[in-house]
Amino acid sequence: MNAPARNPARVRDEDAIGAPPETPALVPAERYYAPAFAALEVERMWPKVWQLACMVDHVAEPGDYFEYRCGPYGVLIVRGDDGVLRAFQNVCRHRGNSVCVGSGSGLRELKCGYHGWTWDLAGTLRRVPDRKGFGTLNLSDFPLVPVRVDTWEGLVFVNLDLEAVPLLEYLEAVPDDIAWCRLSDFRCYATLTVEVDANWKTIADGFSETYHIQTLHPELLRCVDDVHAPQRIWGHTGKSDQPYGVQSPRFDGALSDEEVWDAYVYTQGVLMGAAEGTPFPADERRDGQTVRDLIAAHTRAFAASRGVDLDWADTDRITRLHQYNVFPNMTLLANADHLTVMCSRPGATPDQGELVMFLMTRMPPGAARAKPTDVRMSAGEADPGVVLTQDIQILAGLQRGMHQPGFTHLVLSSEERRVINLHRNLERYLDLPRSQRVSGGVARPPAR
């Protein structure tokens, strides 16, 4: 049996907990199911925040369009004849019908299917059937209502607030912190929308902490350090990173390197092109190589088979997962050869929501671009891998539990500080009185 590899994260002695608070943070449970609270989010928060809507490849060519929905709001994203990307509130100025639904290509104009009012792709009203019946009607008075739209690393964001801060300012430190990963080399080959019986925050919370790994993901625990997973909070955004290819310290070094390898292959072997059951490559191992080094070597070889050069990325870049949270509902997971972006969105009721996964692969230079395939399914049908399936299957039970009369507050630790940060940002947008805000959760002052 080979000796367990030293965990590089321990050199910094940073853990996911950080400075313990004086008391836990208490979050009112009704935020997750009360119709009045959901209505307040719709009124004060969703129209004011930057939201990931689609990929640039969805709307790359003139005439391409994509309809983005979030709760009652609809945004139509269009690539104009002039090549400019624009976004509009998806509403006909006549009677309120949606101008365009779904996504597609070859659009020459935006024509309401109810009464035929027609706009050009720049949002200017061009035709009104039987116009004389309206008396004096100036076409220039009724353009489509504009929406802020911007892009970052191939992702398209929208914001209904025309006075919102620029996207890059909203993203704070994230772009600089992840710049080394070369996100622009990735292509989204598919989006998967999973309909779940859970509030959008219930979904988002699961991708905002590592506390649940030891219980919900026992297979993953065998190949990730969930303890030494340092976190940072910037404001709208936060980050955690976790070393993979090492056993959790909770095992106290009891697992062999072979067991760590087997767990990695089982939970995410696809990232290095390894089929389930791929044996530990003992014959490849050189003196001093760790399991992480072997995983990195296999990942580089798998990338090379796709025409992708990963020689620039060391073992830590390949095996350390960087997890970013962007308020209110976006999570970005990245390492040198992996990128998945996830969003949670509200459903028809506070007890319903959607998990949208943008599935990516790194491509070689000059690779052809294509529209992602968009797939929708129920939670019962979804099987996006061992770990994510476990995350999805727990959601309905979590949401049901929120309603129990004896459960008045979530009780959160500093390990769940990114969940707490979501709520503190939410309180700011909703302008909640102090009596309705999160209590506790304040870090102890440093010892003198």
Side-chain angles (χ1 to χ4, degrees), residues 78-96:
V78 180
R79 181 72 68 176
D81 298 326
D82 54 3
V84 175
L85 191 64
R86 298 181 177 88
F88 308 100
Q89 294 184 25
N90 192 9
V91 57
C92 174
R93 297 295 302 274
H94 173 221
R95 291 267 294 276

Side-chain angles (χ1 to χ4, degrees), residues 334-365:
N335 64 31
D337 199 37
H338 172 64
L339 176 62
T340 299
V341 183
M342 298 183 290
C343 294
S344 60
R345 296 173 186 164
T349 73
D351 289 314
Q352 295 172 292
E354 297 176 347
L355 170 62
V356 185
M357 289 178 272
F358 294 76
L359 308 176
M360 315 274 198
T361 188
R362 190 182 287 280
M363 299 295 287

Side-chain angles (χ1 to χ4, degrees), residues 192-245:
L192 174 61
T193 300
V194 182
E195 300 166 348
V196 296
D197 291 327
N199 186 268
W200 70 271
K201 294 184 292 297
T202 306
I203 301 169
D205 289 354
F207 303 107
S208 302
E209 45 88 2
T210 56
Y211 186 36
H212 70 280
I213 291 177
Q214 59 185 305
T215 306
L216 186 61
H217 304 311
E219 302 89 351
L220 185 64
L221 192 68
R222 301 168 73 86
C223 62
V224 63
D225 187 342
D226 60 319
V227 173
H228 300 94
Q231 301 188 71
R232 294 192 65 182
I233 299 293
W234 290 301
H236 279 113
T237 60
K239 177 194 177 182
S240 170
D241 63 85
Q242 308 101 42
Y244 279 71

Side-chain angles (χ1 to χ4, degrees), residues 349-415:
T349 73
D351 289 314
Q352 295 172 292
E354 297 176 347
L355 170 62
V356 185
M357 289 178 272
F358 294 76
L359 308 176
M360 315 274 198
T361 188
R362 190 182 287 280
M363 299 295 287
R369 308 190 75 101
K371 285 183 182 291
T373 300
D374 301 315
V375 179
R376 176 180 287 269
M377 63 183 59
S378 69
E381 298 170 314
D383 185 17
V386 175
V387 177
L388 285 175
T389 299
Q390 291 169 337
D391 287 320
I392 291 169
Q393 289 176 343
I394 200 75
L395 292 172
L398 275 169
Q399 188 66 27
R400 190 165 53 250
M402 299 280 186
H403 285 270
Q404 306 315 304
F407 186 76
T408 60
H409 291 80
L410 287 73
V411 183
L412 304 181
S413 79
S414 60
E415 192 167 6

